[in-house]
């Protein structure tokens, strides 16, 4: 397979993860609202998936390719870049309510902020495809796809569902039509296929940076879980008994338990 074919497959994988975000808006076709308790569980579930994908997938694969120092260096850079990007955009407070009435300039700003949030997840997908058609793995559409690539695509797709729900909730309050809620949820993850293609191209050209790339993706995602997903869950569950912590912990455990079997597929 040529480079263009490989890039196309990686883009499709990243686009699948973006489409999965739209699934988070589908419950609003059938229900008026989603309880805080279930929202906390979903945030915990997403956190468990991302942590297991980062630790059992990216970090473990990185250690097989390089040294612990390379992984740690990559994780540090991943965290720093996410922090710096947040600092640059911190004055641009974004609410999903802004999506519906955004003009072109605001859409550019929104896309920039969403890139900070979802680009690292696309990078994780792209890095996971580094050995596409180079090693062993299941045959998919004539490609030899690494098991890690399938694992990461599934993990991030599942993780994107509660993110789509979080985006849809304020849009529901504005009486935005359900299909538009699905569209804006998918829009929020459009940087992921772009990030996947860029990361894949980079690690294929400069394979000596592959362990660093694994660490970068893992560090960025773990930081996002600890700095955004968990605080969001605790904020949502503030009025629940014990602050929603049992629901959060239950969601995290469920997410980890769901992803561990995929490591042995």
């Amino acid at each position: 397979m040529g480079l263009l074919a490989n890039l196309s497959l990686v883009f499709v994988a990243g686009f699948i993860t973006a489409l999965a975000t739209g699934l988070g808006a589908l419950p609003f076709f059938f229900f008026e609202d989603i309880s805080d308790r279930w929202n906390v569980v979903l945030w915990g579930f997403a956190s468990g998936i991302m942590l297991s994908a980062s630790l059992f997938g990216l970090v473990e694969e990185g250690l097989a390719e390089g040294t612990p120092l390379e992984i740690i260096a990559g994780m540090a850079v991943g965290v720093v870049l996410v922090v710096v990007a947040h600092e640059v955009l911190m004055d641009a407070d974004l609410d999903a309510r802004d999506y519906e009435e955004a003009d072109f300039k605001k859409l550019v700003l929104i896309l920039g902020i969403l890139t900070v949030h979802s680009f690292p997840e696309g990078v994780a997908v792209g890095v996971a495809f580094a050995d596409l058609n180079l090693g062993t793995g299941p045959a998919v559409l004539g490609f030899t796809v690494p098991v890690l690539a399938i694992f990461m695509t599934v993990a991030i797709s599942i993780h994107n569902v509660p993110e789509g729900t979080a985006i849809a909730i304020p849009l529901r309050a504005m009486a935005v039509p359900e299909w538009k809620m699905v569209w804006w949820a998918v829009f929020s993850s459009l940087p992921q296929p772009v990030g996947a293609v860029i990361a894949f191209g980079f690690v294929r050209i400069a394979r000596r940076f592959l362990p660093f790339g694994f660490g970068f993706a893992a560090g960025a995602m773990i930081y996002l879980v600890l700095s955004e997903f968990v605080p969001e869950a605790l904020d949502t569950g503030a009025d629940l008994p014990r602050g929603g912590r049992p629901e959060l912990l239950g969601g995290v455990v469920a997410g980890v338990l769901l992803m561990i079997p995929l490591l042995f597929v």
Side-chain angles (χ1 to χ4, degrees), residues 170-178 181:
L171 295 177
R172 163 63 83 183
M174 295 176 62
V176 173
E178 285 83 359
M181 292 162 57

Side-chain angles (χ1 to χ4, degrees), residues 26-47:
L26 294 184
F28 292 99
F29 281 82
F30 310 101
F31 305 101
E32 282 298 314
D33 200 6
I34 297 177
S35 69
D36 287 344
R37 175 169 277 105
W38 274 110
N39 269 310
V40 173
V41 172
L42 287 173
W43 278 116
F45 188 62
S47 298

